[in-house]
Amino acid sequence: MAFLQVEDIHKSFGQEEVLKGISFGLEKGEVLSIIGSSGGGKTTLLRSLNQLIIPDKGVIKVNDEIVFDASEGKLSESMLRDRRLHFGLVFQQFNLFPQYNVKRNLTLAAELLCKERGKAAGKSAEEIKKEIKQLDAKAYALLVKVGLENKITAYPGELSGGQQQRVAIARALMLSPDILCFDEPTSALDPELTGEVLKVIGSLKSSESTMVIVTHEMEFARKVSDKVIFMADGVIEEMGTPAEIFDDPKSAKLQNFLNKSQNLGIDDMESGFNAREWAKVAQDGEECLKDNELIRF
Amino acid sequence: MSFLEVTVNLLDGFKTSLFIFFITLLGALPLGLIIAFGSMSKVKIIRTITRTFVWIIRGTPLMLQIILIFYGPGLIFHTNGLGRLPAVLVAFIINYAAYFSEIYRGGIESIAQGQYEAGQVLGMTKTQIFFKVVLLQVIKRIIPPMGNEIITLVKDTSLARVVSVTELLKAAQDIVGLKAIIWPIFYIGAFYLLFTGLLTILFRFIEKKLDYYKG
């Protein structure tokens, strides 16, 4: 049984069936990229994992534990929250909290959770306070990881899009999710800013971190992923290793899609990155991997 | 009648105006929030009822509402009804709650869905999301329209005289009628100006306080 097991997920909006039975598995430490044209159901699938959208049918398991089962019906809020926490999500639009500084953006949810769980476990106020102190240290370490420790007291409105997205990544890591999801993390960024974000995502790759990335950055998907899913019209059209998907596409739809994105030069246009720069990103990522100081999540 | 005597008399009326002002805020600020949630309810019947209610209250003059609430119970049920001042307070609270509710609704609906979603994926409860994430952003956005509405309220308190509540305007009119001097009616303008001036400063201060972040 795979670490993340997705079985037969269906979702309709009104008459339109957006997900028509999605199943796949992902091992711990693997990176999965989901590619495909707009309207193919990529984002819906990702939001289903995080249960921002509740699928009509299907089962999702993490580490053999059921985190979603449509046959259970509507869950209580606390149940739903617990299960959601298996997944982290980085949004296309960052969605940082504008009224809080960078540090508070990271610690707010973690602190609330820490208090709630501490109380439920009957811990003393002292113990809880100590744990909250540790969260500060964790927040700092994560900001170092995304290279923004000098922005710890800045407000989101004072940061560039790329910096905001890096803060959002750190914020998602604060809660140590089993699986970290990215919903087109660079689509809202200016071309010159996508590189820094992709670099950070690439550097997160480790044997402990499992990631699902919806992306239009084909070069990035090829370099970073262990597995690639090509979605079209609500089904998984093709699934395989990056080499299989990008170098040896089987279905006409995928061939068509890859041709189109190449002809348009989407990769280069969107990221302003060329192959040489990518090679450097990959190298940086590998160096990070050698570093044993990777923060586990 | 000396300037001092007139001032003392007017201050008495001004006290009533201030009383109406503060009690209205006290009642209408929370009531408006309840109405706002009603008009955003997922249940269609609740939404329809609250929206119709807001339409009626905003669509008729406040003066008419005061008259109706003061005289209505006596005419319809032949009871004594409310006293003059309580009737005025009820009318003001209902009227202003309707206006506030629309400002709240606009503020709440202007917050991007992503803010709620970010809270959700971070394991926050609905209550935590509302109070820790959304509320301050809503307040920042509604301060300017609320300032407008609250300054209007200061001047609207003069409508209470329609059921013979001696607020500032009526106090001045009484002097004019009794003593045959006209200037006190102009003098009260200074009272209103002074008070709305203070409120303007207060709102500017709050706006500045919330200016520390963008968005």
Side-chain angles (χ1 to χ4, degrees):
Chain A
M1 188 64 92
F3 183 63
L4 166 65
Q5 192 71 38
V6 174
E7 293 163 17
D8 199 27
I9 295 289
H10 287 259
K11 178 69 193 179
S12 298
F13 294 113
Q15 293 294 315
E16 196 191 351
E17 195 172 21
V18 183
L19 298 179
K20 301 170 183 165
I22 303 289
S23 305
F24 65 88
L26 192 65
E27 296 302 334
K28 192 166 180 142
E30 278 187 333
V31 175
L32 166 71
S33 290
I34 305 176
I35 60 170
S37 315
S38 306
K42 307 182 302 275
T43 294
T44 307
L45 173 60
L46 199 68
R47 291 165 71 83
S48 295
L49 294 181
N50 286 275
Q51 296 182 51
L52 288 175
I53 289 172
I54 307 296
D56 302 326
K57 190 173 168 240
V59 177
I60 301 169
K61 288 181 198 159
V62 174
N63 214 0
D64 261 345
E65 184 189 335
I66 289 181
V67 295
F68 175 77
D69 184 350
S71 62
E72 287 176 326
K74 204 168 184 272
L75 296 176
S76 70
E77 197 194 6
S78 64
M79 264 295 240
L80 187 62
R81 282 172 59 216
D82 270 351
R83 291 182 170 190
R84 255 191 199 132
L85 287 172
H86 287 282
F87 294 90
L89 178 59
V90 174
F91 298 87
Q92 187 176 348
Q93 302 289 346
F94 331 134
N95 294 339
L96 295 177
F97 305 134
Q99 74 269 42
Y100 295 125
N101 67 21
V102 166
K103 182 184 164 217
R104 193 75 187 126
N105 260 283
L106 263 66
T107 55
L108 176 69
E111 215 174 284
L112 290 169
L113 216 57
C114 189
K115 278 184 198 157
E116 189 184 323
R117 285 182 177 163
K119 263 185 208 152
K123 286 182 186 162
S124 70
E126 277 300 307
E127 280 174 291
I128 295 175
K129 229 178 181 173
K130 218 168 127 193
E131 284 180 16
I132 288 175
K133 262 261 149 58
Q134 287 168 350
L135 290 176
D136 285 357
K138 185 173 182 182
Y140 186 79
L142 284 169
L143 286 174
V144 170
K145 175 129 197 68
V146 299
L148 287 173
E149 69 277 16
N150 57 343
K151 298 283 183 194
I152 195 157
T153 56
Y155 287 88
E158 298 162 3
L159 302 176
S160 73
Q163 289 171 331
Q164 288 191 51
Q165 193 59 301
R166 282 146 69 194
V167 172
I169 293 169
R171 180 175 73 173
L173 292 174
M174 267 308 278
L175 298 178
S176 310
D178 294 322
I179 295 152
L180 185 57
C181 302
F182 297 83
D183 184 12
E184 302 188 19
T186 58
S187 295
L189 296 174
D190 290 335
E192 71 271 20
L193 298 177
T194 53
E196 64 182 65
V197 171
L198 295 179
K199 206 165 169 174
V200 165
I201 299 173
S203 75
L204 296 175
K205 209 171 137 81
S206 81
S207 60
E208 289 297 324
S209 59
T210 315
M211 297 194 269
V212 179
I213 307 170
V214 168
T215 184
H216 291 300
E217 302 277 351
M218 295 306 146
E219 267 318 295
F220 173 74
R222 183 204 284 267
K223 290 263 150 61
V224 168
S225 321
D226 301 293
K227 225 179 224 173
V228 179
I229 283 178
F230 170 65
M231 276 185 80
D233 304 320
V235 295
I236 295 180
E237 189 72 27
E238 221 166 309
M239 174 159 46
T241 64
E244 285 166 346
I245 293 289
F246 293 108
D247 301 333
D248 187 21
K250 301 278 185 302
S251 74
K253 275 184 190 168
L254 177 54
Q255 286 166 6
N256 210 345
F257 173 77
L258 290 174
N259 273 337
K260 255 191 205 156
S261 54
Q262 251 163 25
N263 289 343
L264 288 172
I266 282 178
D267 303 340
D268 294 338
M269 240 167 50
E270 279 192 357
S271 67
F273 250 49
N274 58 34
R276 206 176 39 216
E277 284 171 88
W278 271 118
K280 183 156 179 354
V281 170
Q283 206 182 356
D284 287 344
E286 273 159 28
E287 271 166 29
C288 277
L289 286 180
K290 277 185 221 144
D291 253 353
N292 270 336
E293 288 182 342
L294 265 189
I295 287 160
R296 293 186 40 179
F297 70 92
Chain B
M1 213 177 176
S2 74
F3 181 74
L4 191 69
E5 279 174 308
V6 170
T7 307
V8 170
N9 263 332
L10 291 182
L11 275 177
D12 217 36
F14 191 46
K15 240 175 21 198
T16 307
S17 297
L18 287 181
F19 181 72
I20 297 170
F21 175 81
F22 283 113
I23 298 296
T24 301
L25 283 188
L26 209 65
L29 287 172
L31 182 61
L33 196 59
I34 295 169
I35 298 174
F37 284 128
S39 67
M40 291 184 291
S41 167
K42 280 182 191 144
V43 187
K44 197 172 174 223
I45 184 86
I46 296 177
R47 214 167 53 224
T48 311
I49 290 172
T50 39
R51 289 193 177 180
T52 310
F53 173 77
V54 170
W55 169 61
I56 292 170
I57 298 296
R58 291 201 307 172
T60 55
L62 174 54
M63 193 191 277
L64 183 64
Q65 292 161 15
I66 297 170
I67 293 169
L68 184 77
I69 289 174
F70 179 63
Y71 293 107
L75 289 172
I76 301 165
F77 306 112
H78 303 288
T79 60
N80 279 335
L82 298 163
R84 291 173 193 281
L85 191 55
V88 164
L89 293 175
V90 170
F92 268 81
I93 289 173
I94 291 176
N95 184 276
Y96 271 83
Y99 279 96
F100 289 161
S101 77
E102 283 298 282
I103 296 177
Y104 290 146
R105 187 171 68 85
I108 292 171
E109 287 180 347
S110 75
I111 303 298
Q113 194 57 30
Q115 292 288 305
Y116 294 93
E117 290 176 354
Q120 282 174 332
V121 296
L122 290 168
M124 292 167 77
T125 64
K126 279 184 184 150
T127 322
Q128 286 169 343
I129 293 171
F130 184 76
F131 284 103
K132 304 271 179 186
V133 175
V134 175
L135 187 62
L136 190 69
Q137 296 184 51
V138 171
I139 290 175
K140 180 173 164 122
R141 287 181 197 192
I142 67 173
I143 286 294
M146 283 304 265
N148 247 340
E149 214 50 59
I150 287 171
I151 281 170
T152 304
L153 171 60
V154 175
K155 294 164 294 169
D156 272 359
T157 54
S158 61
L159 290 172
R161 78 159 313 298
V162 75
V163 290
S164 295
V165 169
T166 311
E167 44 62 66
L168 183 56
L169 188 78
K170 184 162 185 303
Q173 278 183 329
D174 287 350
I175 298 171
V176 172
L178 279 171
K179 308 285 174 184
I181 43 173
I182 192 77
W183 61 266
I185 203 80
F186 302 118
Y187 178 31
I188 60 168
F191 284 76
Y192 288 115
L193 275 177
L194 190 72
F195 191 48
T196 52
L198 286 175
L199 287 174
T200 307
I201 292 169
L202 174 72
F203 275 101
R204 223 172 262 161
F205 172 77
I206 299 173
E207 262 183 65
K208 235 188 174 147
K209 274 260 151 197
L210 291 174
D211 230 17
Y212 72 93
Y213 78 90
K214 275 188 271 174

